[in-house]
Amino acid sequence: MPTLTDTSTLDIVVVEDWHVDTIDGTTRQKLIDIHVDDWWAGVEIRVPVRLIVPLTGTASGFVIGGKGTPAVGDQQLYVSDGTALAIAGGVGVVTPLITGLSNYPDLPSESVLRDRFIETLDFRYSEFFLWSAIMMRSITAAFDDSLIQPGPVIAHGNSKNGIAPLISSIHDERITAVRSTHAFTALSPIRAGDPEAVAAVVAADADFDQARAAGLPAGDQWWSYYLKAFRSGDPFREAIRDYGWTEAEIQAAFDRVTDDLYVSENWEQLADRGVEIFSLPGSHDWVAYDVPGTSTVLPGLRTYIVPNGGHDRSGHPEAPTNGVNPAFFAEQLFGAQGGLETPEISAVVNGAELDVTVTFPEGGVPEESRVFWMYDRGPEGSSWYLYDLFPAENWADMTGSGSTWTFSIPLEPGRTTIDLITTHTATVDGHTLPISAPYTRVPLDGTGPCLDVVSFCDQGAGAPQLELMPPQAANSLHFAVIGAAPGATVALVGGQRGLPMGVPAGSLCLGGGRRVIAHGQAGPGGAALLPWHPGAAGWTALSSGQFAVQALSQGLAPRLSNALTIQTCP
C-alpha cells in the first residue's frame, strides 16, 4: 500500500489541462496519464484518469468510478449515476480506465497473464490486482491535484468496476464508502470451494446439460449466459491442475489472499473505519452468483437484491425502480436522512402457508414493502440458479405499519424449498432507495422452522385460533391464541424432539413432538412433564398476556432471527 500512495512515482503526464467542459460548460475537466505499477519486469501499467471539479473553487473529496472510455472526450455527468449530484455539492468526480485486460493496448494478453498466474499461483498476476491497483493509484493522483482537497471518497461501479471498489476499500483507508453492482462481497461456501457446495453445483449443472439436450426451452438469455457463474472457471482450474499443482497447494494459494479480496473477511475492520457499503448484486447474476450464501455470511450488508436482476437483466417487472447512486451519495456526502438499515426476516411454515415477517431496526419505516418468491431453485452458482426466474405472478405487497411488515404466502403442495426476496423503499433527497432483507431459503420438507399443530386441551376451549403477531425481539416468535376459554392450557406442538416444558393452566406451553398438554399433565402418549423453568430444553418462555407468549430461542444466529428452532414437522 505505501507504493500505491506514493505521489513521487505517479509520473503524471497531462494530456488535457484544466478546461471548461465542451458539453454544457458546467464543470472543469482534466485528463492525465499515470504510472500505476510495474506488473513485472518490462511490463508497466499506465492508465488515463479524468478529473472533474465544479466550475469554480475546489472540490472536497470525490466519487470515483471506472469506465472503459475516460480518454474519449469530456465526460457527461448524470443525476441517475450520482455524478451530477456530487459536482453540484462541491464534490469531485474521478474516472480511471478500468476495463477488460484486452482493452489496455500496452499490457500483455489475457493468455500471457493466465500463464503467469498458473506458473506462480500469485494473485498479483490477475485482473483483481490490476483493477484495484488502478483505482487506488487514481485516488493518489486525484488528491495530488491542488483543485481536489481532502474529503470523503465514494468508490462505485458495476461488474469489474464494482469489484475494484470493494477490493480497494479493504486496502485503502481513504475510501469512506462503496456502492457496488453485480460484484462479489463474501467468501461464501461456493467461492471457498466447500466440497459439499461444489458437489451440489456440479450435479445441478450435469442435470441442466441433460435437460438442455432433451429440449429445455430457451430462457431469457443466450445459452452461453447459463454456462457462466461457477462452471466458467472450470477450464482455468483444470489448467492449474494440469500444470502440476496439488489441491493442497491450490487451496493454500487461495487462502493466502481471501482477506485481500473479500470484504466479508474484513468486515469488522471496515466497520471500525466507518466504511459504508451498499450492494446491488442482482438475484440472477453470473458474477454475483452467490446471493443466498452472501446473505448468510453478511446478513447486515445493506443490499438491494433486484429480483431477476443481473448483467443484461433489468429485473422483475414489479421490482421497485431505484435511484441508489444519487440517494446513497446524498446520504454519505451530505448527510441526507431517510435511508433504511437492513431488516431482519422471519419465515415460518404455518400449515398451508408461509408466514413472512420483516422487522426493521428501531426508527426504520419503509414506504412500501413487497415480497417475491420462487420454488425449488437450483444451488447458487449453478446453471439452474441463473435459468429459473422468479415468476411474474409470484409477488405481493406486504402489509404493516411502522417497522414491521408481514405477508402469508399460500404454499404450493409438493414443493421442497421456497426462496424469498423482499424489497422496501424509502425516499432520500428525492430519490428512491430500496433495500432488501437477507435472501432467505426455507425448506418445505419438514426441516425448517414451522408451526405444526396447536392443541387446546380444555374441553370448553371452543374453537380458538393461533395468530402470529409482530415479533417483540430478535430471535423471537410472538403469537396469540384467539378465542380460548379462560383457564385453558394450550400447547404449541412442533417437531423438535425432546422433553416438553409445561406451565400452569392459563398460560401457553411449548411442547416437543405431538404430545398434548393438559393442566400440567401429559396427555395420551405423552411423558410426564418437567417443571417449567427459564431455559429448560433451550427455551425461555415469557408470559405476555392471558393467551399470548413470547418464546425466545437461545443462541440462534442473527440470520435466523424470529424463527424458532422447531426443525421438523412430522
Side-chain angles (χ1 to χ4, degrees), residues 76 101 109 156 234-235 282 360 422 441 468 511:
Q76 176 75 59
L101 184 61
S109 67
H156 66 100
D234 287 348
F360 284 84
T422 66
R441 175 168 294 174
L468 289 176

PDB file of all heavy atoms in Angstrom, residues 76 101 109 156 234-235 282 360 422 441 468 511:
ATOM      1  N   GLN A  76     -19.823  13.423 -19.733  1.00  0.00           N
ATOM      2  CA  GLN A  76     -21.149  13.896 -19.365  1.00  0.00           C
ATOM      3  C   GLN A  76     -21.491  13.386 -17.967  1.00  0.00           C
ATOM      4  O   GLN A  76     -21.262  12.219 -17.641  1.00  0.00           O
ATOM      5  CB  GLN A  76     -22.192  13.377 -20.368  1.00  0.00           C
ATOM      6  CG  GLN A  76     -23.626  13.719 -20.028  1.00  0.00           C
ATOM      7  CD  GLN A  76     -23.963  15.163 -20.304  1.00  0.00           C
ATOM      8  OE1 GLN A  76     -23.858  15.630 -21.426  1.00  0.00           O
ATOM      9  NE2 GLN A  76     -24.373  15.887 -19.273  1.00  0.00           N
ATOM     10  N   LEU A 101      -8.838  -6.718 -19.696  1.00  0.00           N
ATOM     11  CA  LEU A 101      -7.414  -6.647 -19.992  1.00  0.00           C
ATOM     12  C   LEU A 101      -7.134  -6.381 -21.468  1.00  0.00           C
ATOM     13  O   LEU A 101      -6.187  -5.658 -21.810  1.00  0.00           O
ATOM     14  CB  LEU A 101      -6.740  -7.949 -19.554  1.00  0.00           C
ATOM     15  CG  LEU A 101      -5.220  -8.018 -19.694  1.00  0.00           C
ATOM     16  CD1 LEU A 101      -4.558  -6.948 -18.833  1.00  0.00           C
ATOM     17  CD2 LEU A 101      -4.702  -9.401 -19.319  1.00  0.00           C
ATOM     18  N   SER A 109      -1.431  -9.909 -23.196  1.00  0.00           N
ATOM     19  CA  SER A 109      -2.734 -10.507 -23.483  1.00  0.00           C
ATOM     20  C   SER A 109      -3.233 -11.306 -22.295  1.00  0.00           C
ATOM     21  O   SER A 109      -2.484 -11.621 -21.357  1.00  0.00           O
ATOM     22  CB  SER A 109      -2.625 -11.430 -24.699  1.00  0.00           C
ATOM     23  OG  SER A 109      -1.800 -12.554 -24.387  1.00  0.00           O
ATOM     24  N   HIS A 156     -17.386   3.485  -6.635  1.00  0.00           N
ATOM     25  CA  HIS A 156     -18.637   2.876  -7.103  1.00  0.00           C
ATOM     26  C   HIS A 156     -18.456   2.300  -8.498  1.00  0.00           C
ATOM     27  O   HIS A 156     -17.506   2.632  -9.215  1.00  0.00           O
ATOM     28  CB  HIS A 156     -19.757   3.919  -7.121  1.00  0.00           C
ATOM     29  CG  HIS A 156     -19.539   5.023  -8.133  1.00  0.00           C
ATOM     30  ND1 HIS A 156     -20.161   5.050  -9.362  1.00  0.00           N
ATOM     31  CD2 HIS A 156     -18.751   6.140  -8.084  1.00  0.00           C
ATOM     32  CE1 HIS A 156     -19.779   6.128 -10.022  1.00  0.00           C
ATOM     33  NE2 HIS A 156     -18.926   6.812  -9.269  1.00  0.00           N
ATOM     34  N   ASP A 234     -14.073 -23.581 -14.673  1.00  0.00           N
ATOM     35  CA  ASP A 234     -13.606 -24.965 -14.777  1.00  0.00           C
ATOM     36  C   ASP A 234     -12.357 -25.111 -15.645  1.00  0.00           C
ATOM     37  O   ASP A 234     -11.399 -25.784 -15.241  1.00  0.00           O
ATOM     38  CB  ASP A 234     -14.721 -25.861 -15.299  1.00  0.00           C
ATOM     39  CG  ASP A 234     -15.813 -26.108 -14.261  1.00  0.00           C
ATOM     40  OD1 ASP A 234     -15.589 -25.770 -13.081  1.00  0.00           O
ATOM     41  OD2 ASP A 234     -16.884 -26.617 -14.638  1.00  0.00           O
ATOM     42  N   PRO A 235     -12.315 -24.528 -16.859  1.00  0.00           N
ATOM     43  CA  PRO A 235     -11.105 -24.696 -17.681  1.00  0.00           C
ATOM     44  C   PRO A 235      -9.858 -24.143 -17.007  1.00  0.00           C
ATOM     45  O   PRO A 235      -8.770 -24.738 -17.104  1.00  0.00           O
ATOM     46  CB  PRO A 235     -11.447 -23.917 -18.960  1.00  0.00           C
ATOM     47  CG  PRO A 235     -12.941 -23.900 -19.019  1.00  0.00           C
ATOM     48  CD  PRO A 235     -13.377 -23.810 -17.593  1.00  0.00           C
ATOM     49  N   GLY A 282     -28.083  -8.322  -7.607  1.00  0.00           N
ATOM     50  CA  GLY A 282     -28.991  -8.989  -8.547  1.00  0.00           C
ATOM     51  C   GLY A 282     -29.167 -10.436  -8.145  1.00  0.00           C
ATOM     52  O   GLY A 282     -28.204 -11.132  -7.796  1.00  0.00           O
ATOM     53  N   PHE A 360     -37.708  -3.941  10.878  1.00  0.00           N
ATOM     54  CA  PHE A 360     -36.601  -3.002  10.745  1.00  0.00           C
ATOM     55  C   PHE A 360     -36.088  -2.581  12.112  1.00  0.00           C
ATOM     56  O   PHE A 360     -36.826  -2.589  13.093  1.00  0.00           O
ATOM     57  CB  PHE A 360     -37.043  -1.766   9.956  1.00  0.00           C
ATOM     58  CG  PHE A 360     -37.141  -2.016   8.480  1.00  0.00           C
ATOM     59  CD1 PHE A 360     -38.282  -2.575   7.925  1.00  0.00           C
ATOM     60  CD2 PHE A 360     -36.074  -1.712   7.640  1.00  0.00           C
ATOM     61  CE1 PHE A 360     -38.368  -2.830   6.576  1.00  0.00           C
ATOM     62  CE2 PHE A 360     -36.155  -1.963   6.293  1.00  0.00           C
ATOM     63  CZ  PHE A 360     -37.301  -2.515   5.749  1.00  0.00           C
ATOM     64  N   THR A 422     -37.281  -9.776  -0.371  1.00  0.00           N
ATOM     65  CA  THR A 422     -38.171  -8.678  -0.030  1.00  0.00           C
ATOM     66  C   THR A 422     -37.545  -7.369  -0.486  1.00  0.00           C
ATOM     67  O   THR A 422     -36.320  -7.241  -0.566  1.00  0.00           O
ATOM     68  CB  THR A 422     -38.445  -8.599   1.486  1.00  0.00           C
ATOM     69  OG1 THR A 422     -37.234  -8.272   2.178  1.00  0.00           O
ATOM     70  CG2 THR A 422     -39.002  -9.915   1.995  1.00  0.00           C
ATOM     71  N   ARG A 441     -33.969 -18.793   2.080  1.00  0.00           N
ATOM     72  CA  ARG A 441     -34.467 -20.062   1.522  1.00  0.00           C
ATOM     73  C   ARG A 441     -35.047 -20.878   2.664  1.00  0.00           C
ATOM     74  O   ARG A 441     -34.377 -21.126   3.674  1.00  0.00           O
ATOM     75  CB  ARG A 441     -33.356 -20.836   0.816  1.00  0.00           C
ATOM     76  CG  ARG A 441     -33.786 -22.226   0.328  1.00  0.00           C
ATOM     77  CD  ARG A 441     -32.748 -22.830  -0.605  1.00  0.00           C
ATOM     78  NE  ARG A 441     -32.656 -22.049  -1.837  1.00  0.00           N
ATOM     79  CZ  ARG A 441     -31.747 -22.274  -2.791  1.00  0.00           C
ATOM     80  NH1 ARG A 441     -30.856 -23.228  -2.643  1.00  0.00           N
ATOM     81  NH2 ARG A 441     -31.734 -21.529  -3.883  1.00  0.00           N
ATOM     82  N   LEU A 468     -50.223 -15.316  14.472  1.00  0.00           N
ATOM     83  CA  LEU A 468     -48.868 -14.790  14.599  1.00  0.00           C
ATOM     84  C   LEU A 468     -48.925 -13.281  14.770  1.00  0.00           C
ATOM     85  O   LEU A 468     -49.671 -12.598  14.094  1.00  0.00           O
ATOM     86  CB  LEU A 468     -48.036 -15.139  13.364  1.00  0.00           C
ATOM     87  CG  LEU A 468     -47.641 -16.611  13.216  1.00  0.00           C
ATOM     88  CD1 LEU A 468     -46.900 -16.808  11.905  1.00  0.00           C
ATOM     89  CD2 LEU A 468     -46.773 -17.054  14.378  1.00  0.00           C
ATOM     90  N   GLY A 511     -44.183 -27.491  23.536  1.00  0.00           N
ATOM     91  CA  GLY A 511     -44.085 -28.933  23.679  1.00  0.00           C
ATOM     92  C   GLY A 511     -43.211 -29.553  22.613  1.00  0.00           C
ATOM     93  O   GLY A 511     -42.941 -28.951  21.593  1.00  0.00           O
TER      94      GLY A 511
END
